Amino acid sequence: MNTEFLVGFIETAHMKSIAKASEALHISHTALSKQLRSLEKQFDVQLFTRSSQGVELTEAGKILYESSRQLLDQLSDLEDKLKPLRAWGRIKIASVPDIATRYLVSALSRLQDQGHEVEIVYRQSTKEVYKLLLEGEADLTVAERFSMHPSIWSGDISQEAFYVVMPKDHPLAGQQEISLVELSGQPLVLYSLGCTIRATLTQMFADLKKPMNITTEVGFSEVILGYVVNGSGVTVLPEAFISQMYSDRLVYRPLNHPDAHRTIAVASLDQSKGQRILRLIG
């Protein structure tokens, strides 16, 4: 028996109208009517008497109504009892530190309330995060959307703007935003190859046919803002990183370009599981 048919039947009985019930359930009038006819055929009874004013339960319908409510309540209780025992109760999520801090830590309580025991695995680059997923070392990733393997499902959480970070006394610090042309004349402090933001900037400068002046290349384990504070140049960082920045010697301004952003997404090799976690995180 399809429990969705029972839900439709109960809603119709409650609303005393197939039209109102179908609207409340966000399905078509035709689809709900087919569900009700299917139930009547399955039990070989008439469930409703129909009139221009709506529908009323028959004696058989009243019996099914009470039994269906009890059955759905029992199924809901059973699902709650089995949640902690499911294999998917224990999940390993790979992420990079700034994204995990912004999106995962705040969602841990919701995940735990749904019976999930979460282990967060940190890596310094997006490529490393997706490698863990493809190699089966992580169940999910919460990271920047990356060039996807065909077997990976992903769902977007949010989009983050890029900001130019510079010392307070920098000549561009007084502006509301920084253009790519203005940025091209600045010494850049960027993470090493493999950084997705660096790859995006490289493409943006190439499209604009402007040079990108990288003067300092920083390893993923190093604190990039330390180089900026000490006068090595300016850098470009995403919103999640900016939200955790507490230096009173630096300022940040939006990079004004249509491609100056990154998309944060949940990715998994199992679409249904990925969608479930996305609903809890997003």
Side-chain angles (χ1 to χ4, degrees):
M1 181 191 303
N2 191 323
T3 56
E4 289 184 4
F5 290 8
L6 293 180
V7 172
F9 164 69
I10 289 173
E11 188 67 24
T12 302
H14 176 70
M15 304 291 288
K16 296 185 178 181
S17 167
I18 297 176
K20 291 179 181 179
S22 63
E23 183 177 351
L25 294 168
H26 304 291
I27 61 176
S28 69
H29 186 287
T30 301
L32 180 55
S33 296
K34 287 182 178 178
Q35 291 180 10
L36 298 176
R37 286 197 297 271
S38 178
L39 286 174
E40 289 181 326
K41 183 177 180 180
Q42 179 176 351
F43 292 109
D44 194 22
V45 294
Q46 183 178 347
L47 297 174
F48 293 102
T49 56
R50 295 162 172 83
S51 69
S52 58
Q53 283 75 41
V55 296
E56 291 286 344
L57 286 170
T58 63
E59 287 302 314
K62 291 176 182 178
I63 293 172
L64 182 61
Y65 179 78
E66 292 301 325
S67 297
S68 296
R69 290 183 61 182
Q70 294 175 19
L71 175 61
L72 292 176
D73 287 342
Q74 290 171 352
L75 287 174
S76 178
D77 183 57
L78 177 61
E79 184 177 353
D80 289 340
K81 289 178 179 178
L82 291 176
K83 277 178 184 176
L85 304 177
R86 292 181 303 193
W88 190 240
R90 296 176 294 276
I91 55 175
K92 185 181 291 186
I93 303 177
S95 188
V96 295
D98 62 303
I99 292 176
T101 300
R102 182 163 189 178
Y103 296 98
L104 273 177
V105 174
S106 62
L108 283 178
S109 61
R110 294 194 296 275
L111 292 166
Q112 291 164 354
D113 288 344
Q114 293 298 313
H116 298 296
E117 180 183 333
V118 180
E119 177 186 355
I120 302 176
V121 182
Y122 294 100
R123 289 294 184 270
Q124 293 299 325
S125 73
T126 303
K127 285 185 177 180
E128 291 177 289
V129 166
Y130 280 96
K131 183 179 179 184
L132 288 178
L133 180 64
L134 287 169
E135 292 179 350
E137 296 298 319
D139 302 303
L140 296 154
T141 66
V142 176
E144 182 178 349
R145 177 181 279 280
F146 197 58
S147 179
M148 292 293 181
H149 188 277
S151 63
I152 295 178
W153 171 88
S154 71
D156 294 347
I157 300 175
S158 73
Q159 195 173 87
E160 295 184 349
F162 288 171
Y163 289 82
V164 180
V165 183
M166 67 199 89
K168 273 190 172 180
D169 59 356
H170 192 279
L172 297 178
Q175 299 187 187
Q176 294 298 310
E177 58 187 20
I178 310 300
S179 71
L180 197 62
V181 172
E182 291 169 324
L183 188 63
S184 70
Q186 299 299 316
L188 292 175
V189 182
L190 296 178
Y191 284 117
S192 55
L193 289 172
C195 170
T196 51
I197 294 177
R198 175 171 171 166
T200 301
L201 288 172
T202 300
Q203 185 61 55
M204 287 163 55
F205 278 111
D207 293 342
L208 194 63
K209 295 182 172 55
K210 288 286 185 180
M212 184 167 68
N213 182 24
I214 301 175
T215 57
T216 305
E217 190 174 87
V218 180
F220 288 114
S221 61
E222 298 178 82
V223 181
I224 197 168
L225 293 179
Y227 288 84
V228 179
V229 167
N230 291 319
S232 298
V234 304
T235 192
V236 177
L237 295 173
E239 188 176 342
F241 202 112
I242 294 299
S243 66
Q244 303 167 46
M245 194 177 80
Y246 299 107
S247 175
D248 59 359
R249 299 167 61 185
L250 298 173
V251 296
Y252 51 90
R253 300 289 181 263
L255 178 56
N256 182 10
H257 189 280
D259 297 328
H261 60 79
R262 69 176 182 177
T263 300
I264 309 302
V266 172
S268 176
L269 298 177
D270 186 312
Q271 179 174 344
S272 63
K273 293 175 180 178
Q275 289 174 327
R276 175 176 174 79
I277 300 304
L278 175 63
R279 288 194 295 269
L280 294 172
I281 293 177

